[in-house]
Amino acid sequence: MAQYTYDEQGVTFNYFVLSVLALFLVPLTLQWIYQTFKDAKAKAGKTYCNCEPCKSKSARLAAARKRSAVRHVANARILFIVLGWILFSFLAYKISMTEVHKVVWDPYDILQIPEGTELSDIKKTYRKLSLVYHPDKAPKDQAEEYEAKFVEITKAYKVLTDEDTRKNYEEYGHPDGKQSYTMGIALPKWLVEGSNSYFTLAFYGLLFGILLPTHIARWWYRSRRLTKDRILNGSMALFFKELKENSTHRDLIDILSTSVEFKEKLTIRPSDEASLVPIVTIIKEEMENRYGQKFEKSKRQFSAPYCYKVKVLIYAHLLRVEVTDAGLIKDQQFIVETSVHLLNGLLQIALVKLWLQSSSRIMDLSQSLVQAIFPGESALLQLPYVNNALLRQYYRSKKRTFPSVQKFLDAPEDQRKALLKPLSNDQYLDCMEVAKAIPQLHTLKAEFRVAGDSILTVGAIVTFILKLQNGVVVGVESAKTNGKGVEQSEINEKEDEDDEALDAVDAIIEGKKEIKESDERISPAHAPYFPGEKKPYWWVYLGDPKVNRIIVPPQKITDIVTKKTIKIQFPGPPKAGTYTFSYFVRSDSFVGTDLRQDIKLVIQEPSDLPPEDDIDDTISEPDEDSIAGQMKLMREQGISGAISGPPKPQTNQKPKADDNDSDTDSDSDDD
Amino acid sequence: MATSLLLPTAYLGGCIAAMSAFSFVYRRATAVSEIEPWFGPNVEKEQYIALLNSSTPVPEHHLRAALLRRAMADVKRLVHIQQEKPPLNALLRAGTVGDDLWKEFTVAEQETMAELQEVVAEANTYKEGWGQNIFTTAAQMVEHEKQKVVLEEMKTRKEEEERLAKLQEEREQREIKDKSKTDAEKREREAKKAAEELLKQEEVEKVKTKK
């Protein structure tokens, strides 16, 4: 007969709880340790420059980190970890203290002899033990124990010697024959007792009936309001309607200021209007003086108080007008950080519409917001201690300007010192350090290629290969090896060749990315006026400025540390001819580091392809050069793949597009 | 017997009550989100209708002109919708914009289509067959207006550039002036200083000679 027994002692239940706890606790603890370790490392490795804004920023960030860590996530997690481990150790202690019933009945164990002992030895041991544990010999207080032990010993002895009992034991695991069949449920009894059943039921109801659904519903509704890029749908709708092909920087700021994010999260205090007035007067003055532009409230729906506030604070940020009100400072930080994020949404829209001009303006604005430099102002303002007055003074007296930080670094030292005359020596060194840390990209190679073919043909999938180098590292190297400049360049050339070979292989065997170049991690950008930390990244894209169109939408490149090869694939033009594009490499966080260069794309008819035999001829040639020979082999192997490979994505894409079209058509019909 | 009936009824009743409460709340919540019109008010259409309904009789050529204006406005809307549809579709597929925007857009599209048909019907009441080519005329007029705007823009841009150049020049001159002014002051101060020093020296020499 089946009989349920609840876990009276709670041993099994405790085991269960213990293992579940361990399942959560161990990874959490490990993660926490790793996090703190990483934080400590990051803190140690961080070098802020010593200018005033940088110092205040690092102090603010540290404070913010501390505050948020103490108050929010980390705190709850640490609490959970600590409480969890306390509970864990308590349970473990409890389990170790409770005696576990021997489930397996083992006659050898009872007689305390090893398995497979001789019969005579068993008899001997039994006799000895039965003498010791004989009930008659037991001390008064232990009589019962002795008796039980004696019975056990006798049983065990019988099992090992008597035929019948041995059979019983072998069949049912017990000498007495079949035992009553019991089932255990690993729940403590108090959980299922009648008097507690309501509480248990209520707890379950609360957990699964109310808490879980509400939690999911809240998450669902919140995420439904956001797009994939975590921007509110309302904001994106506004952006879509307002962004025009020729939106200027001012228009973009206006559009940003209407974002629903600001409407919802920005509190409008009654004191704001008064505290904004002095800022507005400074902005008006600056705008008038510098650009001859008027700063005024925007028209139409941009005129809501929150829009105006956002606009004023963004301008104040870009013009580096100091904001003194503590509340406004916080608002400004929020606005600037959110704006940079929102710009990504705007960019998406501009890209889908293939507008080159507005896309590049959006990228401009991203750089400007991160560095707090008004669009069009000198890139040297990124450096610490440099301000407009300093620059203007220099430009006026020397009649010379530095369009980028790179040009500034290239200039002789006395010129640099002349510009930064008012700075102390330490400050000058700081400044130069920051200038050197700003990435200076150079193009090593830029070309179009079709996998497996030597020329570009109509309808092929063209791969744009762009090899970039961060100029800073080169500068350091050449300074080190001044005498061995020639050797260095030779080595570089060799590396280039190797890289080229690699490129060819990569172009053929798609999907295999080079990892070796991106081993190093990029450090946050020097952006003292930006509230948070900013990991710089780059957009690489092809466009045609003549018709203001983007040809190939940007790829985001996050890890240009020293060298980086970027490959962008796109379907080639449908007609043969020469196309002149420009390729753009634009940073999201640094001003004046962008690359833009014209490049020619020559597309030929497929009939211009060299016949297949030609390739065979070239294979036999470089036999003596083993690497080249291998390369050719690879190429040949790749051709078979390339012939069947490239057309595939095209055929895949087409039905997909058709599907979607028909979907949307039917949608609109339904409506 | 009584309990056996009571329990299922209570259960069923509870379920129905909970579900209807949810549906009530949900419907009220979803009803709030209204569809925002994509385009602003159609002024030309309203003007035309006002002219039609005016109590004083309006000459027919005025009505025709107003209808043509209305057709022009519709052409602009149609062009806008045709241009926006593919990118919006792409964005929606990529999950970059929400469904609400798409809903708004389809509503606007349907409205525009209906409006176009209305205009055609209206045009046919003046002259049979005008409905077929009223939009061609309107499109040409829109194109013409666009060119006018471009010309205007070029003019204003030129003016703006001139103004900025002038401003820059003025600023530079002002700065030079300021500089020369400060330089002059500096020189004056230096001259004064030198004179004072000279005086001092003279005095010292005088004292020496006296001794």
Side-chain angles (χ1 to χ4, degrees), chain A residues 221 224 226-229 231 233 236-238 240-241 246 288-294 345 348-349 352-353 355 392 396-397 399 656-657 660-661 664-665 667-669 671, chain B residues 26 36-38 84-106 109-110 153 160 163-164 167-168 171-172 174-176 179:
Chain A
Y221 280 111
R224 234 180 59 144
L226 293 172
T227 66
K228 213 182 66 201
D229 307 315
I231 296 171
N233 280 330
M236 282 307 274
L238 261 171
F240 187 81
K241 286 180 191 167
N246 49 5
E288 185 69 40
N289 277 345
R290 282 199 218 170
Y291 314 104
Q293 286 178 346
K294 287 214 166 57
Q348 292 268 359
I349 292 169
V352 164
K353 296 193 172 183
W355 292 337
R392 212 173 305 143
R396 206 171 46 231
S397 59
K399 292 283 172 227
K656 213 179 182 182
N660 284 323
D661 281 348
T664 49
D665 281 347
D667 277 352
S668 55
D669 286 346
D671 289 338
Chain B
Y26 183 77
E36 206 180 299
W38 189 276
E84 300 290 276
K85 196 169 183 178
L88 187 59
N89 216 330
L91 285 171
L92 188 74
R93 239 179 290 150
T96 322
V97 296
D99 295 330
D100 298 348
L101 191 67
W102 179 251
K103 234 182 260 164
E104 276 174 35
F105 184 78
T106 41
E109 194 182 14
Q110 278 160 11
E153 221 170 64
E160 173 74 14
R163 193 179 67 90
L164 279 180
L167 214 87
Q168 176 79 18
R171 196 171 60 191
E172 264 170 24
R174 202 174 53 220
E175 270 165 5
I176 288 169
K179 210 190 170 196

Side-chain angles (χ1 to χ4, degrees), chain A residues 199-476:
Chain A
F199 294 109
T200 318
L201 208 65
F203 177 72
Y204 264 72
L206 202 71
L207 195 67
F208 291 106
I210 296 170
L211 278 180
L212 194 71
T214 43
H215 193 73
I216 289 173
R218 260 181 54 199
W219 168 81
W220 168 247
Y221 280 111
R222 208 183 307 146
S223 66
R224 234 180 59 144
R225 296 188 61 218
L226 293 172
T227 66
K228 213 182 66 201
D229 307 315
R230 309 201 58 73
I231 296 171
L232 285 172
N233 280 330
S235 296
M236 282 307 274
L238 261 171
F239 294 169
F240 187 81
K241 286 180 191 167
E242 294 300 332
L243 187 66
K244 298 283 176 324
E245 189 164 2
N246 49 5
S247 293
T248 60
H249 294 122
R250 305 178 72 183
D251 296 338
L252 289 176
I253 295 176
D254 278 348
I255 294 171
L256 273 182
S257 71
T258 56
S259 307
V260 185
E261 267 89 351
F262 299 133
K263 191 182 187 175
E264 285 182 359
K265 288 185 193 145
L266 216 58
T267 46
I268 301 284
R269 296 178 216 89
S271 64
D272 277 352
E273 208 155 319
S275 42
L276 279 180
V277 169
I279 302 169
V280 172
T281 29
I282 299 176
I283 291 175
K284 272 186 178 157
E285 214 172 277
E286 288 273 313
M287 290 298 289
E288 185 69 40
N289 277 345
R290 282 199 218 170
Y291 314 104
Q293 286 178 346
K294 287 214 166 57
F295 178 80
E296 54 201 5
K297 233 178 195 174
S298 316
K299 281 157 251 134
R300 293 194 297 146
Q301 81 250 48
F302 306 152
S303 57
Y306 81 90
C307 296
Y308 182 60
K309 183 176 168 183
V310 171
K311 189 179 171 184
V312 167
L313 288 177
I314 288 182
Y315 271 87
H317 175 71
L318 290 178
L319 295 168
R320 301 191 178 175
V321 175
E322 205 178 338
V323 179
T324 42
D325 186 273
L328 282 184
I329 290 176
K330 217 169 243 172
D331 288 345
Q332 194 183 29
Q333 286 167 2
F334 168 71
I335 288 169
V336 170
E337 213 154 0
T338 317
S339 293
V340 171
H341 179 64
L342 289 175
L343 278 176
N344 279 317
L346 267 174
L347 186 63
Q348 292 268 359
I349 292 169
L351 290 179
V352 164
K353 296 193 172 183
L354 297 176
W355 292 337
L356 182 66
Q357 197 184 29
S358 43
S359 312
S360 69
R361 278 184 181 149
I362 291 166
M363 294 175 192
D364 282 345
L365 198 59
S366 169
Q367 297 175 354
S368 293
L369 279 172
V370 172
Q371 294 293 347
I373 297 173
F374 202 82
E377 287 277 293
S378 167
L380 289 193
L381 289 172
Q382 290 173 98
L383 306 178
Y385 314 109
V386 176
N387 54 34
N388 260 319
L390 203 68
L391 288 179
R392 212 173 305 143
Q393 206 180 351
Y394 178 78
Y395 292 164
R396 206 171 46 231
S397 59
K398 295 286 192 302
K399 292 283 172 227
R400 202 201 130 107
T401 56
F402 299 108
S404 70
V405 176
Q406 176 67 50
K407 287 265 160 37
F408 176 66
L409 279 177
D410 289 345
E413 187 163 10
D414 56 310
Q415 277 188 26
R416 281 183 265 159
K417 282 222 158 129
L419 199 159
L420 303 172
K421 209 167 24 182
L423 303 190
S424 70
N425 205 29
D426 279 352
Q427 286 176 333
Y428 173 76
L429 287 178
D430 252 359
C431 191
M432 294 320 291
E433 190 123 323
V434 171
K436 274 177 194 152
I438 289 175
Q440 312 293 345
L441 299 181
H442 299 287
T443 309
L444 292 178
K445 194 177 74 178
E447 62 174 357
F448 294 105
R449 228 186 253 182
V450 172
D453 286 345
S454 53
I455 59 164
L456 309 171
T457 51
V458 174
I461 302 286
V462 180
T463 310
F464 173 60
I465 299 172
L466 180 65
K467 208 179 314 164
L468 293 174
Q469 182 161 32
N470 194 343
V472 179
V473 180
V474 170
V476 172

Side-chain angles (χ1 to χ4, degrees), chain B residues 30 51 135 181:
Chain B
T30 46
L51 274 180
F135 283 113
K181 212 173 167 188

Side-chain angles (χ1 to χ4, degrees), chain B:
Chain B
M1 201 50 199
T3 46
S4 64
L5 262 179
L6 189 70
L7 209 64
T9 342
Y11 176 73
L12 221 70
C15 278
I16 290 170
M19 279 175 192
S20 51
F22 173 77
S23 118
F24 176 70
V25 170
Y26 183 77
R27 273 179 206 202
R28 218 182 42 181
T30 46
V32 171
S33 63
E34 244 172 50
I35 285 183
E36 206 180 299
W38 189 276
F39 299 110
N42 196 339
V43 181
E44 284 82 2
K45 182 182 174 184
E46 278 160 24
Q47 278 171 349
Y48 174 74
I49 289 171
L51 274 180
L52 262 189
N53 296 339
S54 85
S55 47
T56 53
V58 181
E60 201 188 292
H61 65 274
H62 279 188
L63 283 176
R64 285 184 183 213
L67 187 62
L68 211 51
R69 281 266 154 217
R70 185 174 160 189
M72 277 171 71
D74 292 343
V75 165
K76 278 183 205 158
R77 291 187 172 197
L78 187 67
V79 168
H80 177 82
I81 279 183
Q82 280 169 351
Q83 275 178 354
E84 300 290 276
K85 196 169 183 178
L88 187 59
N89 216 330
L91 285 171
L92 188 74
R93 239 179 290 150
T96 322
V97 296
D99 295 330
D100 298 348
L101 191 67
W102 179 251
K103 234 182 260 164
E104 276 174 35
F105 184 78
T106 41
V107 167
E109 194 182 14
Q110 278 160 11
E111 269 174 11
T112 312
M113 289 303 160
E115 165 72 10
L116 287 178
Q117 275 166 6
E118 212 174 289
V119 169
V120 168
E122 200 72 19
N124 280 338
T125 59
Y126 292 103
K127 199 175 115 193
E128 198 52 49
W130 191 32
Q132 262 139 44
N133 51 27
I134 185 173
F135 283 113
T136 343
T137 321
Q140 281 166 0
M141 286 164 83
V142 167
E143 201 53 41
H144 180 70
E145 269 194 359
K146 240 187 225 165
Q147 278 174 4
K148 258 196 202 162
V149 168
V150 168
L151 273 178
E152 199 70 19
E153 221 170 64
M154 277 161 80
K155 225 185 206 171
T156 49
R157 197 179 289 174
K158 202 178 165 196
E159 276 168 16
E160 173 74 14
E161 269 168 17
E162 275 168 7
R163 193 179 67 90
L164 279 180
K166 211 171 151 193
L167 214 87
Q168 176 79 18
E169 213 170 279
E170 265 175 27
R171 196 171 60 191
E172 264 170 24
Q173 271 176 0
R174 202 174 53 220
E175 270 165 5
I176 288 169
K177 221 189 244 169
D178 281 356
K179 210 190 170 196
S180 59
K181 212 173 167 188
T182 47
D183 280 356
E185 274 174 15
K186 217 177 182 182
R187 232 173 287 140
E188 217 170 277
R189 238 183 289 134
E190 273 170 12
K192 240 184 194 171
K193 226 180 188 177
E196 270 172 22
E197 234 152 69
L198 221 70
L199 274 175
K200 249 185 208 165
Q201 240 171 12
E202 269 175 29
E203 267 174 35
V204 171
E205 269 168 31
K206 260 184 202 168
V207 173
K208 265 185 190 171
T209 46
K210 264 187 189 174
K211 272 184 181 176

Side-chain angles (χ1 to χ4, degrees), chain A residues 14-30 80-81 84-85 87-89 91-92:
Chain A
N14 284 352
Y15 269 118
F16 172 70
V17 173
L18 202 68
S19 43
V20 169
L21 255 180
L23 209 65
F24 285 104
L25 272 178
V26 171
L28 259 178
T29 316
L30 285 180
F80 177 77
I81 289 174
W85 280 116
L87 188 65
F88 186 88
S89 43
L91 283 176

